[in-house]
Amino acid sequence: MAMQVSLCLIVLSSLSLNKTKVHYAIFCTRKNLFMKRSILLLLILLSFNSFGQQPITISGKIKMKIGTTIRIWRYTDNISFERQILYTTKSKTDSTFNFSIPLDKTQLLNLSANEFSTQILVNPNQDYVIDLTPYSNLSEKSLQISSVRNPLIPQNDLIKAYEVVSDSAISLLFGRTNQRPTLNNMKQFNAAIDKGLLNIENKYCRDIVQSLRIHFLTMSRANSFATAINTYYHCENLPIDNPAFQSLISETFQSYFKSGPPSITRYNLFSGIPDSVHYTDLLTMLSVDSSLTCRPIREMVLLCNLYSMIRDEELEPEKGNNLLKEGAEKSSDPFNRLLANNISHSIRTKKPGSYVPDFSIISPEGNNINISKFKGKALHITFFSFKGMADRNLLNQLTDVAHFADSLGVAKFVCITTDQNKEEITKFWNEKKYPMQLYFAPDDYTLIDYFNISSLPFFVLLDAEGKLNSLMPNFPGELLLKQIINLHPSVNRSPENHQSVQKSASSILQDHPLKK
């Protein structure tokens, strides 16, 4: 636009009655040339953008009931585990499905149908034709993938990657109880990994293997993190957006601030970070450890720990969010800037006091019930799996707390399962005579996604107004009971309940007449 204005001024200043047509022709020529160049540049940019987002098509059949909801999604990162739903569809009358989504690079996606799920590694600009078969045992529920077109690349490399770091290879490092592996053990382990890598062509999968290698070498104390990371990666070329690498950093330094170098533990970050300390200050402090000389790793470690500190209420949320905002602006790596934003968003949407959307759940009779129905009392929501033994033990413990809370009139208890065998679960529920109300999650899984549930059992506690009090509140028992009673100060003021509440929660449960 500026160029066009300057051209116009030049033409107008040089106009004369005798040369008007000549100058106008020159102006039009230059203007047309400028417009053509602009259009060409725009087309080039659009071409780059279209090449950057190449579509993949996934189609096939699923051996489940007609109209099963199939979702394709990914984690925004493997630290906050926020989910991004890419596509949702339903299987047709012949059990087929198909969808197309744009990708800019090789990515690990999640494919799920009801409570079954699997990981699928896909390359941009490819078609995948697969059959999905649900497989279930006592420990897991997964979708098994069989390819209509062989070979299914890079999925086969993903399978090889996990097979390389097998139990037999890992046992070479952990064969000696409470002792470091010998040099021979380390040599055998690394030889097994190196041999397996020869059969994997896909770089994404090779980075998974290398990240797992570093994890187990560090965990077994065969190598320090600094030695292992410097042996298999270079700071200038880290696979920082690979989920295995993200998990490696997060798990390795999960308690870093508590058990790290003296200069950090003396600073006692978990007791609170002063307002005078900023993101770059904390990065400088982290560099005192020889294993954290690489700035992108320091940034990721710091963001991981800030997330844990804010979530666990060890760091004041406003200060923590200010540090995350600085991290989103000052991190050296694009992924870490994205991670800071992801974590900040996760904390904002899940913070105590925020309203939870009025989700619909399904009763054993097949009726849709909104969560708002339970407003007026605290609501403890337990998400569980009918197949899990730990979940069944949980239900028995939850029974005692629910009986007592009901006698005080302070809370409702709802148990939601993603299992689809409604008749079997309802029969089991009625036989056990559980006081908690049973419901089923809709198969669109929006409720599961909102709370970011990645493992079961999972707990949510809402206050009487339907606002979030806490995610993953304490396991059923004394602490949970105290937590619920604290939401109802009127219980402590009530004369008829005063004597009971003064007793310990454990003795209340022990003496309660309804206890089974």
Side-chain angles (χ1 to χ4, degrees):
M1 184 67 181
M3 185 179 293
Q4 290 186 45
V5 172
S6 62
L7 285 172
C8 290
L9 292 175
I10 293 171
V11 171
L12 288 174
S13 64
S14 60
L15 278 178
S16 66
L17 292 175
N18 296 330
K19 298 182 179 179
T20 300
K21 293 182 180 180
V22 175
H23 283 289
Y24 180 73
I26 294 172
F27 169 74
C28 290
T29 301
R30 290 177 178 174
K31 181 179 178 182
N32 289 340
L33 181 61
F34 173 75
M35 291 182 66
K36 287 179 180 178
R37 287 176 176 173
S38 299
I39 293 172
L40 179 60
L41 178 61
L42 180 61
L43 289 173
I44 292 173
L45 291 174
L46 289 174
S47 299
F48 275 123
N49 185 61
S50 61
F51 284 132
Q53 293 286 332
Q54 302 175 55
I56 64 161
T57 299
I58 300 178
S59 60
K61 287 191 174 185
I62 182 170
K63 296 180 181 179
M64 296 179 74
K65 68 177 183 178
I66 295 169
T68 297
T69 299
I70 302 168
R71 305 180 313 141
I72 191 86
W73 54 277
R74 63 187 169 199
Y75 289 119
T76 56
D77 60 81
N78 276 53
I79 294 167
S80 71
F81 287 103
E82 287 293 301
R83 294 177 184 176
Q84 179 185 8
I85 309 300
L86 300 176
Y87 201 91
T88 301
T89 188
K90 288 184 177 291
S91 60
K92 301 179 177 60
T93 53
D94 58 355
S95 298
T96 62
F97 63 89
N98 64 81
F99 48 82
S100 181
I101 55 175
L103 289 183
D104 58 353
K105 56 187 174 182
T106 298
Q107 289 197 24
L108 186 64
L109 304 179
N110 293 277
L111 192 66
S112 60
N114 295 338
E115 71 272 31
F116 296 91
S117 64
T118 190
Q119 291 180 325
I120 179 168
L121 186 63
V122 292
N123 286 331
N125 201 25
Q126 286 196 12
D127 296 333
Y128 296 89
V129 182
I130 57 178
D131 285 340
L132 297 173
T133 306
Y135 168 79
S136 179
N137 58 28
L138 291 177
S139 61
E140 65 175 347
K141 291 187 172 184
S142 62
L143 287 170
Q144 304 298 301
I145 297 178
S146 55
S147 174
V148 177
R149 299 174 185 170
N150 290 316
L152 184 62
I153 297 175
Q155 185 73 7
N156 288 344
D157 268 357
L158 178 65
I159 296 170
K160 291 177 185 176
Y162 289 120
E163 289 176 346
V164 166
V165 193
S166 62
D167 290 341
S168 58
I170 296 171
S171 65
L172 294 171
L173 292 178
F174 295 91
R176 307 170 72 218
T177 306
N178 296 324
Q179 295 184 42
R180 293 184 180 182
T182 64
L183 291 175
N184 189 48
N185 292 146
M186 294 166 54
K187 184 178 179 180
Q188 290 177 324
F189 172 77
N190 283 318
I193 302 300
D194 291 336
K195 181 179 178 180
L197 283 171
L198 295 175
N199 298 319
I200 300 175
E201 296 181 3
N202 186 277
K203 182 182 182 302
Y204 189 97
C205 296
R206 293 177 66 86
D207 286 331
I208 288 177
V209 174
Q210 295 289 38
S211 297
L212 290 173
R213 184 210 296 252
I214 295 170
H215 171 68
F216 289 115
L217 284 173
T218 305
M219 192 165 68
S220 67
R221 297 177 296 162
N223 292 141
S224 68
F225 179 80
T227 299
I229 197 79
N230 292 332
T231 301
Y232 301 106
Y233 285 126
H234 297 288
C235 185
E236 297 77 19
N237 190 29
L238 295 172
I240 202 164
D241 57 352
N242 189 293
F245 185 80
Q246 295 166 22
S247 298
L248 164 69
I249 302 301
S250 178
E251 292 176 15
T252 301
F253 296 99
Q254 190 172 26
S255 58
Y256 180 76
F257 288 127
K258 289 183 177 178
S259 59
S263 59
I264 291 182
T265 53
R266 281 198 302 269
Y267 202 74
N268 203 2
L269 292 176
F270 276 84
S271 294
I273 298 177
D275 289 340
S276 58
V277 176
H278 295 278
Y279 181 79
T280 50
D281 300 322
L282 295 173
L283 283 177
T284 302
M285 293 178 62
L286 283 175
S287 66
V288 300
D289 183 6
S290 60
S291 66
L292 289 179
T293 56
C294 180
R295 181 182 172 98
I297 294 180
R298 294 206 313 272
E299 291 170 347
M300 192 183 293
V301 170
L302 177 56
L303 291 170
C304 289
N305 282 277
L306 287 176
Y307 183 47
S308 298
M309 292 167 70
I310 300 170
R311 186 185 55 199
D312 298 339
E313 299 181 350
E314 294 170 322
L315 174 62
E316 197 272 323
E318 184 176 355
K319 176 61 180 177
N321 277 319
N322 287 337
L323 289 168
L324 291 175
K325 183 178 179 181
E326 292 179 8
E329 295 172 350
K330 298 179 180 179
S331 291
S332 63
D333 189 273
F335 171 79
N336 286 331
R337 293 195 292 271
L338 173 66
L339 175 61
N341 279 317
N342 289 347
I343 290 174
S344 180
H345 175 266
S346 177
I347 290 172
R348 286 197 307 270
T349 56
K350 308 299 189 302
K351 68 179 181 181
S354 59
Y355 279 98
V356 173
D358 195 12
F359 289 108
S360 176
I361 51 182
I362 303 171
S363 70
E365 296 75 29
N367 301 319
N368 288 329
I369 305 293
N370 289 338
I371 289 180
S372 59
K373 171 190 175 183
F374 302 100
K375 281 185 180 179
K377 293 181 180 179
L379 176 64
H380 187 268
I381 305 175
T382 299
F383 294 90
F384 74 100
S385 170
F386 179 65
K387 303 294 183 183
M389 294 303 297
D391 296 55
R392 295 198 184 198
N393 292 333
L394 155 78
L395 295 174
N396 293 330
Q397 295 184 50
L398 195 60
T399 296
D400 295 330
V401 186
H403 272 311
F404 179 69
D406 185 62
S407 69
L408 289 180
V410 295
K412 291 287 187 183
F413 289 77
V414 166
C415 293
I416 303 175
T417 180
T418 58
D419 292 276
Q420 294 300 303
N421 195 338
K422 297 181 181 179
E423 291 184 4
E424 180 183 353
I425 297 172
T426 302
K427 179 182 177 182
F428 169 82
W429 208 264
N430 292 335
E431 289 174 352
K432 289 291 185 178
K433 293 183 171 54
Y434 287 132
M436 304 83 71
Q437 296 184 43
L438 171 67
Y439 288 95
F440 298 89
D443 71 356
D444 62 10
Y445 272 50
T446 54
L447 176 61
I448 306 297
D449 291 333
Y450 178 80
F451 291 120
N452 205 24
I453 299 173
S454 56
S455 62
L456 298 173
F458 187 91
F459 313 100
V460 177
L461 183 61
L462 306 181
D463 66 16
E465 297 179 13
K467 293 185 291 186
L468 182 65
N469 178 270
S470 59
L471 292 178
M472 298 296 289
N474 295 307
F475 199 77
E478 179 178 353
L479 294 177
L480 173 60
L481 192 56
K482 287 181 178 180
Q483 195 171 10
I484 291 172
I485 290 176
N486 286 338
L487 290 176
H488 292 268
S490 59
V491 174
N492 294 314
R493 295 194 301 267
S494 175
E496 60 271 23
N497 291 327
H498 180 75
Q499 183 176 357
S500 297
V501 174
Q502 295 306 308
K503 299 171 67 178
S504 70
S506 57
S507 65
I508 290 172
L509 291 177
Q510 186 65 38
D511 298 339
H512 198 271
L514 293 177
K515 184 179 185 299
K516 295 184 179 182

